[in-house]
Amino acid sequence: MHDFSISGRSIGGRAPTYLIAEVAQAHDGSLGTAHAFIDAAADAGADAIKFQTHIAEAESTRDEPFRVKFSQQDETRLDYWRRMEFSKEQWAGLAAHARERDLHFISSAFSLEAVSLLQSLDVPAWKVASGELRTDGLVDAICADGRPVLLSTGMSPWSDIDAAVARIRKAGASLAVLQCVSRYPTPLEDVGLNVIDEMRERYNCPSGLSDHSGQPWPAMAAIARGAAIVELHIVLSDRMFGPDVPSSLTVDQFRMVSDMRDSVAAMDAHPADKDAVAADMADMRAMFGRSLAPKRNLLAGTLVTEDMLVAKKPATGIPEDDIAAVVGRTLVRDVPSDRLISWSDLHVDG
């Protein structure tokens, strides 16, 4: 397995699931809101925060259609991308803020100019968006510096994924492949958790889920199945504006996922030894176990027969397995039905 690390944080193997809070365009062009997302992601337990770096003139034209015509202030998709842009200095401020909150700052690049900008910010890893998997020049530029690459596959067949993986590996970059479905929101029946396992086996690398369901359950299920990475869209409120809101988790929902991740990691870090646990619980076992007791009050001198005995709590007396050693022996004292029989109650000679 080709495991790797991002700024010292292990990815894959027995490492806890790496959680990415995906902001995308939920900031709606507001720098202040983008900074608010960094604090929210940190408070929600994310390992990384991810944006999208769009430079309108470098990636789009007026011919690009809206995926969903949601904006009442942008005449074209190009206008929207222009409104989503931040300056290099503003991106640097966001990256610095993320570092202050112990978050990895990651952003998907959608042009060579965006790659250059993000390189100047010393991003710790690259994210290839689902729609850019076949953009060879962009993928080559991303791989050129050898930093880890996280590859989303939301609209690609195996043949395209195979080609992209081979291209990234040829460049010598570490790689994680993410199951993803580019439907917003993704119905639960289409999430495809099984593909996470297929990717891990097919590419012998960490695999995970980039989810657009808008629900916490796929992420939780992926973590339980051992996903190395889970990426989730996050919003400050489900009443926010934007096309990705129905596909996103609120901060509280994201925190629920991260708490579950931490709980799974804690349990995985302490594998159980059944024999050792049983030894530690010997007193408890005795309390809940059973020993031989009389079914009715028995008088001294009684010759004990099997039909006189029953197993009752606790297991501090004669074990039921020793019944053959009790039957046929004579009682030396009275034994009431609400007491256990002890070896001292029995005549030594039987």
Side-chain angles (χ1 to χ4, degrees):
M1 180 66 67
H2 298 288
D3 299 333
F4 59 91
S5 64
I6 297 176
S7 292
R9 168 64 155 85
S10 295
I11 307 296
R14 297 189 62 84
T17 303
Y18 185 76
L19 282 183
I20 302 173
E22 162 71 288
V23 178
Q25 310 308 310
H27 52 73
D28 200 43
S30 164
L31 181 63
T33 301
H35 279 280
F37 268 107
I38 292 173
D39 289 324
D43 293 342
D47 294 296
I49 189 162
K50 194 182 84 65
F51 292 91
Q52 295 180 5
T53 301
H54 294 278
I55 299 175
E57 306 304 328
E59 76 172 81
S60 185
T61 68
R62 290 193 174 275
D63 295 323
E64 182 186 3
F66 279 98
R67 174 170 57 82
V68 177
K69 186 66 172 77
F70 61 91
S71 177
Q72 298 182 17
Q73 65 185 108
D74 305 304
E75 181 180 348
T76 67
R77 184 76 156 166
L78 180 63
D79 294 328
Y80 175 68
W81 293 135
R82 285 170 174 157
R83 192 163 61 81
M84 293 301 104
E85 290 183 8
F86 295 131
S87 69
K88 179 179 178 179
E89 292 71 27
Q90 289 170 331
W91 279 120
L94 290 168
H97 186 183
R99 287 192 294 271
E100 290 168 4
R101 293 304 311 267
D102 293 323
L103 290 171
H104 292 159
F105 175 84
I106 301 173
S107 189
S108 298
F110 291 86
S111 64
L112 297 180
E113 288 82 350
V115 172
S116 178
L117 188 156
L118 293 170
Q119 283 176 330
S120 72
L121 301 180
D122 197 27
V123 292
W126 294 103
K127 175 68 189 297
V128 177
S130 292
E132 305 301 327
L133 182 145
R134 295 188 301 166
T135 309
D136 292 343
L138 182 62
V139 172
D140 289 343
I142 283 172
C143 296
D145 61 14
R147 299 180 208 196
V149 175
L150 315 181
L151 180 69
S152 271
T153 60
M155 54 189 79
S156 298
W158 285 114
S159 57
D160 284 355
I161 304 170
D162 290 346
V165 167
R167 195 175 196 92
I168 293 168
R169 285 210 162 127
K170 185 178 180 181
S174 299
L175 173 70
V177 185
L178 306 184
Q179 161 61 358
C180 178
V181 178
S182 298
R183 295 194 181 106
Y184 306 87
T186 303
L188 290 181
E189 59 269 23
D190 292 341
V191 168
L193 293 177
N194 62 293
V195 180
I196 299 173
D197 301 327
E198 293 178 34
M199 288 175 165
R200 184 186 303 114
E201 295 173 6
R202 188 181 187 104
Y203 302 120
N204 194 33
C205 71
S207 63
L209 177 69
S210 177
D211 184 46
H212 300 131
S213 70
Q215 302 181 61
W217 322 123
M220 290 181 167
I223 291 168
R225 292 173 70 114
I229 299 172
V230 168
E231 178 185 87
L232 301 164
H233 281 254
I234 189 171
V235 286
L236 303 179
S237 165
D238 58 10
R239 293 181 178 274
M240 289 188 72
F241 172 80
D244 292 331
V245 173
S247 310
S248 304
L249 301 190
T250 63
V251 175
D252 287 342
Q253 288 174 318
F254 197 104
R255 164 55 70 183
M256 184 166 61
V257 172
S258 69
D259 285 347
M260 185 266 189
R261 181 272 311 271
D262 294 344
S263 298
V264 169
M267 291 184 282
D268 284 345
H270 298 88
D273 180 330
K274 288 295 289 180
D275 287 338
V277 172
D280 288 342
M281 302 189 72
D283 291 343
M284 185 72 74
R285 291 182 67 197
M287 185 184 301
F288 284 94
R290 294 174 183 260
S291 306
L292 292 176
K295 290 183 180 179
R296 60 183 183 277
N297 295 334
L298 299 179
L299 300 176
T302 299
L303 182 69
V304 179
T305 58
E306 187 171 351
D307 63 350
M308 296 177 182
L309 302 174
V310 66
K312 291 184 177 181
K313 297 176 182 179
T316 55
I318 300 173
E320 187 176 10
D321 290 346
D322 290 339
I323 190 170
V326 176
V327 171
R329 298 175 70 171
T330 303
L331 294 176
V332 297
R333 64 175 64 89
D334 295 346
V335 183
S337 61
D338 61 356
R339 298 292 302 277
L340 298 176
I341 292 178
S342 68
W343 292 114
S344 64
D345 295 329
L346 301 169
H347 194 279
V348 174
D349 296 328

